Amino acid sequence: MTPKDVLAMAKENDIKVVDIRYMDFIGTWQHFSVPVSELTEASFEDGFGFDGSSMRAWQNIDNSDMIVIPEAGTAKIDPFFKVPTMVVLGNIHDPITSEGYSRDPRGIAKRTEAYIKSTGIGDTIFVGPEPEFFIFSNIRYASDPHASFFEIDSPEAHWNTSDGSEPNLGYKIKPKHGYFPLPPADNYQDMRTEMMLTLQDLGIDMECQHHEVASAGQSEIDLRFDSLLNMGDKLAWFKYVLRNVAAKYGHCVTFMPKPLYGDNGTGMHTHMSFWKDGEPTFAGNKYAGMSDNALWAIGGIMKHCKALCAITNPTTNSYKRLVPGFEAPIKLAYSSRNRSAAIRLPMYSGSPKAKRLEFRTPDPSANGYMAFSAIAMAMLDGIQNKIDPGDPMDKNIYDLPVEELAAIPSAPGCLEEALEALKTDHDFLLKGDVFTKDVIEHWIEYKMENEVKPVISRPHPHEFYLYFDI
């Protein structure tokens, strides 16, 4: 759409308010609203001013003025607001130089697409994420100097078989038994369908919805693949829609990777491929029907995986999911069909257009724009340097002898380890000024100071269980 089209759309739909949205550095959608009269064709060039110092890890207070320039092609009607409201996504710019802001995640995604086109290796990066999440009926938590706890509830959780409410019908889901029970054990069929259809109504193509492996409402709704920037936009809408539909039902949604001990965590298996001139570049006559470029792309992910995890698995909680025994893909190997490997080559279809890799390590706490961009840059580095991924692993990794298992590299064991890896391995991200030194340094600094160190220094409730009477 052009700016003129957006204004016509606003008039046709009797829009009263325009909501300007952008992604902050850490991965939270932010917004402010203006009367529709404030949106003119000039707005799509001049933008709207805001205080960048109030955003996490962005500007200092002495250099805080920034502008967000709405992008006409992103306009959609919000499905939740009472007053007719049109949403337009924006890109962050410096008001003095008019240049794109280096720490704008959407800008990083745009630079990724532009750089890969400039290499001639491809002109489109297709991304298809599978974001998992939990639906809870109640959540309480606190982290104070004198007390810390969390308490989760779900009507389908296995711990509620002894709940005193009457009638207790007993249809609960045992740990690791959530794939795919029918209602009444699955409490959330209608809610997930409403989430999926709301996204469809927004013009976001969906593939399926279902319960996931864990108890207590773990679910998955899959988006149909799209180009990298578009998928970053769609993932932002996805999280927004799911949270608001759940709230209508008196529930909440979390994309926290590991909210429950002793059950499966939440991942975001990410399918990716490069295309050129309307043709897939990952189809060939190598292993699993893949091309050299596809195998080199796998080599790039495997080489840079520890550093990638600082962006694709960006929370301290992410590494409570990446432990053995819960289907978590922690071993850096690749295989067709084998879901215990970090990289799987799906074999559902023999069509060349279906040839892609599935990176199974990421989780949905990631900032989609940055995560998809970082993975794409690692794949590109693998192709440019013809990085050999080695032999595939067509055995169940979890059944291997200890000695053989130890020889396979692993994903990082904690966020600090991932950030240290990013500190020493990020040159592949700097190509084409996609990520800048400033972005890498501030990402590491923010994560260490605001997440890693505070979590390390706090007493944990389980430490009292273990040590109070020592």
Side-chain angles (χ1 to χ4, degrees):
M1 287 190 292
T2 65
K4 191 172 290 186
D5 294 331
V6 175
L7 298 179
M9 174 183 170
K11 186 174 182 179
E12 181 182 340
N13 290 276
D14 195 26
I15 294 297
K16 306 296 185 186
V17 173
V18 177
D19 204 47
I20 309 296
R21 297 187 188 176
Y22 57 92
M23 186 71 72
D24 74 12
F25 192 48
I26 308 306
T28 301
W29 233 11
Q30 308 287 353
H31 81 126
F32 59 87
S33 299
V34 299
V36 70
S37 58
E38 288 294 301
L39 188 73
T40 66
E41 288 190 52
S43 303
F44 294 90
E45 294 183 5
D46 300 337
F48 297 87
F50 70 98
D51 176 8
S53 68
S54 295
M55 295 289 104
R56 297 176 295 175
W58 271 6
Q59 296 293 84
N60 294 324
I61 196 167
D62 58 343
N63 188 28
S64 60
D65 285 356
M66 307 191 79
I67 56 173
V68 53
I69 300 179
E71 188 168 308
T74 66
K76 296 183 185 296
I77 308 299
D78 188 278
F80 302 108
F81 292 164
K82 182 178 180 181
V83 174
T85 300
M86 183 168 65
V87 175
V88 187
L89 310 191
N91 304 301
I92 309 303
H93 289 256
D94 184 288
I96 306 301
T97 66
S98 297
E99 292 181 354
Y101 184 44
S102 65
R103 294 183 221 167
D104 173 16
R106 197 168 190 273
I108 290 172
K110 284 190 157 196
R111 293 195 295 274
T112 302
E113 291 190 328
Y115 176 64
I116 289 185
K117 286 179 184 176
S118 76
T119 66
I121 289 172
D123 54 35
T124 307
I125 310 160
F126 279 125
V127 181
E130 300 175 358
E132 298 169 347
F133 55 96
F134 277 90
I135 303 169
F136 295 138
S137 59
N138 196 50
I139 172 71
R140 298 191 308 128
Y141 55 87
S143 182
D144 298 315
H146 71 291
S148 62
F149 79 99
F150 70 89
E151 186 175 1
I152 292 166
D153 208 1
S154 167
E156 63 175 42
H158 58 89
W159 58 80
N160 278 325
T161 53
S162 60
D163 177 34
S165 61
E166 294 184 4
N168 186 336
L169 302 180
Y171 294 108
K172 312 300 179 186
I173 296 176
K174 302 178 183 69
K176 299 189 182 185
H177 281 67
Y179 196 85
F180 306 133
L182 282 162
D186 177 1
N187 275 233
Y188 299 120
Q189 169 69 18
D190 289 340
M191 190 191 302
R192 290 195 307 269
T193 293
E194 184 171 339
M195 292 168 173
M196 180 174 66
L197 295 181
T198 301
L199 288 160
Q200 285 265 128
D201 289 344
L202 284 163
I204 298 172
D205 292 333
M206 309 303 295
E207 291 191 339
C208 69
Q209 62 92 345
H210 58 83
H211 205 287
E212 257 298 340
V213 174
S215 179
Q218 191 184 37
S219 300
E220 177 176 316
I221 304 177
D222 294 342
L223 302 100
R224 183 166 177 78
F225 67 90
D226 203 342
S227 62
L228 189 149
L229 178 64
N230 286 346
M231 188 53 71
D233 292 345
K234 289 179 176 182
L235 185 62
W237 273 107
F238 179 90
K239 292 182 177 182
Y240 172 73
V241 166
L242 267 59
R243 288 176 175 134
N244 280 277
V245 170
K248 283 175 57 179
Y249 284 80
H251 285 62
C252 59
V253 159
T254 181
F255 297 95
M256 188 176 176
K258 188 76 170 185
L260 294 178
Y261 173 73
D263 213 335
N264 278 31
T266 288
M268 184 172 69
H269 307 152
T270 302
H271 299 249
M272 296 188 66
S273 62
F274 293 167
W275 284 51
K276 186 176 182 180
D277 299 327
E279 296 295 328
T281 68
F282 277 13
N285 59 3
K286 304 296 182 180
Y287 174 77
M290 304 295 273
S291 66
D292 282 325
N293 273 11
L295 295 179
W296 293 330
I298 292 168
I301 291 177
M302 292 174 66
K303 177 181 178 180
H304 300 297
C305 185
K306 287 182 182 290
L308 282 179
C309 284
I311 298 171
T312 62
N313 302 75
T315 68
T316 58
N317 186 255
S318 297
Y319 299 87
K320 291 178 170 61
R321 166 184 170 251
L322 296 179
V323 295
F326 296 92
E327 299 186 24
I330 58 175
K331 286 297 183 178
L332 306 185
Y334 74 98
S335 174
S336 64
R337 303 179 68 182
N338 185 353
R339 282 176 164 78
S340 67
I343 300 172
R344 186 176 76 96
L345 309 179
M347 301 297 289
Y348 296 127
S349 170
S351 168
K353 293 182 177 181
K355 292 302 177 184
R356 63 196 188 274
L357 63 84
E358 177 192 4
F359 185 29
R360 295 174 61 80
T361 304
D363 69 57
S365 68
N367 181 331
Y369 298 112
M370 293 177 64
F372 303 151
S373 295
I375 298 167
M377 293 299 287
M379 292 164 60
L380 183 64
D381 187 65
I383 294 169
Q384 289 173 324
N385 293 289
K386 299 183 178 180
I387 298 174
D388 183 359
D391 295 330
M393 175 61 66
D394 288 329
K395 296 180 282 187
N396 185 341
I397 291 174
Y398 301 123
D399 289 341
L400 294 177
V402 174
E403 303 79 16
E404 195 173 345
L405 189 64
I408 303 174
S410 296
C414 63
L415 180 56
E416 184 174 10
E417 183 184 344
L419 293 168
E420 288 297 327
L422 181 61
K423 190 182 294 185
T424 58
D425 178 23
H426 58 255
D427 286 350
F428 70 100
L429 297 172
L430 303 181
K431 296 176 182 178
D433 290 326
V434 171
F435 290 78
T436 63
K437 278 277 189 185
D438 172 79
V439 167
I440 300 299
E441 289 170 0
H442 275 81
W443 182 261
I444 293 170
E445 179 185 13
Y446 181 89
K447 288 287 176 176
M448 285 297 299
E449 295 302 319
N450 294 277
E451 299 179 27
V452 172
K453 290 180 180 179
V455 169
I456 288 174
S457 63
R458 276 169 168 73
H460 188 282
H462 200 65
E463 291 178 309
F464 283 82
Y465 176 81
L466 293 171
Y467 308 128
F468 180 76
D469 60 352
I470 197 167

